[in-house]
Amino acid sequence: MSAQFKFPRFFVTSPAPCPYLPGRTERKVFTELAGTHAAELNEALGRIGFRRSQGVAYRPSCTDCQACVSVRVVAGEFKPNATQRKQLRRHADLVVNACEPWTTEEQFSLLRRYLSARHPGGGMAEMDELDFADMVEQTPVTTFMVEYREPSTNGRPGTLVGACLTDQQSDGLSMVYSFFDPALESRPGLGTFIILDHIQRARAARLPFVYLGYWVKGSARMQYKVRFQPIERLGPNGWRRFDAADLEPGLPPATGGMKFPKI
């Protein structure tokens, strides 16, 4: 990082109900991503477990729990299993484009269907078009909206069935948020395919990692992330591969679990 870089100021949110583990609370530490060194700061913080949301980098900072663990797929060594190979074949006809981060009505409509079906009571359930535009367009780093469409018909673009807001970093792709049409019976496994496509994109660009955000042991909605092997988790001594104990079911302890490296 540049010698002229100014160390950022960090802030902490008030406690709120945990969206992943019932009965627990969450708290986040965050800082603003602004100025000429925003991308540089985002990458440095990403390597110690931060995620980006618009012009802010954040990570969990809970007082009594360290269950949220940053994970990333080792793209160069990834080998799809039988189910993943099936998904690659099933969706091979989709037209995929990395677009500039500008929102469309079609994207927002798809997002609303996704949230209604998969996260009806989540924090994004009340998002309107302006909120969505802020989420996508307010970015101080290199960002794309990767679109997944049905094959074109009559010379017109096919129907949008999936999308992923993605940051490109010097060491990989960070999947900020992905969504797809969950009611499309002819396209099962779209979420898996979107991750597989990002792994392929990272390999093609000779980027070593695909960052998947946080994994929470014991949270059913997070288990899909560990199906992409090899995968690394961030611990107090840096990134390391998952082992068998990591993948065993069950809730993590409220204390004494995974701790983040110090800033």
Side-chain angles (χ1 to χ4, degrees):
M1 191 171 293
S2 170
Q4 298 180 352
F5 182 79
K6 184 178 179 181
F7 195 81
R9 296 177 62 190
F10 290 89
F11 307 88
V12 179
T13 64
S14 299
C18 176
Y20 305 115
L21 300 178
R24 299 190 185 179
T25 59
E26 71 166 356
R27 192 179 67 167
K28 295 184 177 72
V29 59
F30 66 95
T31 188
E32 184 181 12
L33 298 171
T36 58
H37 293 285
E40 193 176 2
L41 174 61
N42 185 56
E43 289 209 16
L45 293 176
R47 293 189 181 102
I48 58 171
F50 279 76
R51 298 283 289 167
R52 185 187 69 82
S53 176
Q54 300 178 38
V56 169
Y58 70 92
R59 78 177 188 193
S61 182
C62 306
T63 57
D64 60 351
C65 182
Q66 295 86 36
C68 292
V69 179
S70 295
V71 293
R72 65 187 186 186
V73 181
V74 184
E77 299 179 35
F78 174 78
K79 294 182 179 180
N81 59 31
T83 300
Q84 292 163 345
R85 290 195 298 271
K86 182 177 180 180
Q87 299 292 6
L88 287 169
R89 292 191 298 269
R90 173 180 286 146
H91 303 297
D93 63 326
L94 288 179
V95 178
V96 186
N97 286 304
C99 310
E100 293 297 319
W102 297 104
T103 56
T104 66
E105 291 183 6
E106 191 179 20
Q107 291 171 1
F108 181 66
S109 176
L110 178 63
L111 175 69
R112 294 303 309 164
R113 297 197 301 276
Y114 173 78
L115 292 175
S116 295
R118 294 298 179 92
H119 307 288
M124 297 174 63
E126 302 302 320
M127 177 179 285
D128 60 22
E129 290 183 86
L130 290 178
D131 295 328
F132 179 56
D134 286 344
M135 169 183 162
V136 174
E137 299 172 12
Q138 289 191 18
T139 172
V141 302
T142 301
T143 301
F144 302 96
M145 179 66 86
V146 184
E147 292 188 339
Y148 300 81
R149 294 183 176 275
E150 296 279 12
S152 62
T153 56
N154 301 322
R156 296 181 178 181
T159 302
L160 183 70
V161 297
C164 184
L165 184 63
T166 304
D167 289 347
Q168 181 167 330
Q169 303 174 176
S170 62
D171 69 339
L173 300 178
S174 177
M175 298 178 66
V176 178
Y177 196 81
S178 64
F179 51 99
F180 51 89
D181 190 340
L184 200 59
E185 295 182 359
S186 62
R187 294 285 182 184
L190 263 176
T192 294
F193 177 76
I194 290 173
I195 296 176
L196 293 171
D197 176 68
H198 276 70
I199 295 172
Q200 290 180 326
R201 287 173 172 273
R203 290 169 65 111
R206 297 186 178 181
L207 297 172
F209 305 111
V210 174
Y211 288 83
L212 298 184
Y214 301 114
W215 171 77
V216 180
K217 186 175 182 179
S219 174
R221 58 190 282 197
M222 290 290 193
Q223 290 307 109
Y224 71 92
K225 297 184 180 183
V226 298
R227 298 173 190 152
F228 299 88
Q229 297 289 332
I231 192 168
E232 295 181 345
R233 60 183 290 170
L234 180 62
N237 297 315
W239 295 90
R240 68 174 179 83
R241 301 287 176 96
F242 270 67
D243 55 35
D246 294 323
L247 305 180
E248 291 176 358
L251 293 177
T255 59
M258 183 59 62
K259 295 182 179 180
F260 287 98
K262 293 181 178 179
I263 297 172

